[in-house]
């Protein structure tokens, strides 16, 4: 069994697609995925960014704080459940962010709706920073989500950003992409393989 840890921001569409890809990979490869919270709002605090992205980041605080509250109080299995519930509403249903979305997602995940209070609280922001450091330390702090750490059978950890892919690969196509990602990311000295994004984000 290969353990895979992925750090996500609930509002990031690329992280959402990568997370659904990893769930597909679980079905066709001997891997187990654990999800952890990473905040793009925390990552970009104090940075100069375009106005549209600053607006996007300001809206990202609520979902990521709720996911962090779940992570701290309940653990990885519940993080997976609440991420799916939040992500379906944010990325597939395009519902507006707000308490109604948060409480519905928490209820679907079988979690107390009171956790929605975390959306407007700064009490977990230090923990969000710690999560960012854990996820990005081995990858590069100038990057973001998705950040993935793969613990190989020999104990070595292979950490990388990405993949950035759309739409979600399914079935054996997901497995083949996994095989390729492991191959290139496991090559010493390999840093980047990239092309222009010519397709829309399709989750």
């Amino acid at each position: 069994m290969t353990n895979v840890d992925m750090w996500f921001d609930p509002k990031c569409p690329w992280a959402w697609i990568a997370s659904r890809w990893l769930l597909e990979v679980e079905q066709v490869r001997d891997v187990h995925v654990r999800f952890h919270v990473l905040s793009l709002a925390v990552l970009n605090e104090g940075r100069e960014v375009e106005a549209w992205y600053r607006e996007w980041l300001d809206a990202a605080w609520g979902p990521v704080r709720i996911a962090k509250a779940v992570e701290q109080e309940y653990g990885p299995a519940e993080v997976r459940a609440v991420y799916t519930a939040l992500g379906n509403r944010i990325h597939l249903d395009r519902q507006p962010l707000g308490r109604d979305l948060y409480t519905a997602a928490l209820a679907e995940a079988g979690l107390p709706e009171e956790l929605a209070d975390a959306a407007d609280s700064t009490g977990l922001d230090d923990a969000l920073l710690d999560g960012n450091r854990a996820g990005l330390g081995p990858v590069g702090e100038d990057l973001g989500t998705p950040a993935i750490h793969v613990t190989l059978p020999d104990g070595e950890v292979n950490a990388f950003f990405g993949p950035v892919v759309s739409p979600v690969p399914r079935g054996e196509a997901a497995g083949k992409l996994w095989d390729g990602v492991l191959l290139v990311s496991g090559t010493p000295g390999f840093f980047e393989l990239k092309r222009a994004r010519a397709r829309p984000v399709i989750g």
Side-chain angles (χ1 to χ4, degrees):
M1 177 69 70
T2 299
N3 286 319
V4 179
D5 293 276
M6 177 184 159
W7 277 257
F8 70 92
D9 186 305
K11 198 165 178 287
C12 175
W14 300 112
W16 172 251
I17 294 173
S19 73
R20 302 308 97 178
W21 163 65
L22 287 175
L23 294 182
E24 290 285 321
V25 173
E26 279 191 331
Q27 305 305 310
V28 294
R29 297 293 185 271
D30 193 17
V31 304
H32 173 67
V33 182
R34 297 173 293 199
F35 293 104
H36 310 271
V37 182
L38 188 153
S39 172
L40 293 174
V42 168
L43 182 64
N44 287 281
E45 274 191 305
R47 295 183 179 180
E48 288 191 17
V49 299
E50 294 185 33
W52 71 267
Y53 189 47
R54 179 56 60 194
E55 184 178 350
W56 188 97
L57 291 168
D58 289 345
W61 282 107
V64 81
R65 284 170 171 161
I66 290 169
K68 193 65 179 181
V70 171
E71 183 178 58
Q72 289 214 320
E73 294 188 37
Y74 293 94
E78 285 72 17
V79 169
R80 176 188 286 230
V82 80
Y83 183 24
T84 293
L86 286 168
N88 283 332
R89 288 166 172 78
I90 294 169
H91 301 290
L92 301 185
D93 299 337
R94 307 290 184 181
Q95 295 179 14
L97 296 179
R99 191 172 183 89
D100 287 347
L101 185 154
Y102 305 149
T103 55
L106 288 162
E108 180 184 315
L111 295 164
E113 295 183 9
E114 292 76 16
L115 286 167
D117 295 342
D120 300 313
S121 172
T122 60
L124 291 172
D125 290 0
D126 286 344
L128 286 172
L129 179 58
D130 290 341
N132 280 22
R133 288 169 174 160
L136 295 178
V139 177
E141 294 192 5
D142 57 330
L143 299 172
T145 59
I148 295 175
H149 300 187
V150 182
T151 303
L152 302 172
D154 63 3
E156 183 180 352
V157 176
N158 182 4
F160 51 87
F161 166 82
V164 174
V165 61
S166 176
V168 179
R170 302 289 182 183
E172 184 55 24
K176 288 180 178 178
L177 177 58
W178 172 254
D179 298 338
V181 166
L182 282 189
L183 178 63
V184 297
S185 64
T187 300
F190 178 86
F191 298 109
E192 188 169 3
L193 178 68
K194 194 169 185 178
R195 58 187 171 191
R197 299 175 191 171
R199 299 181 181 181
V201 181
I202 303 172

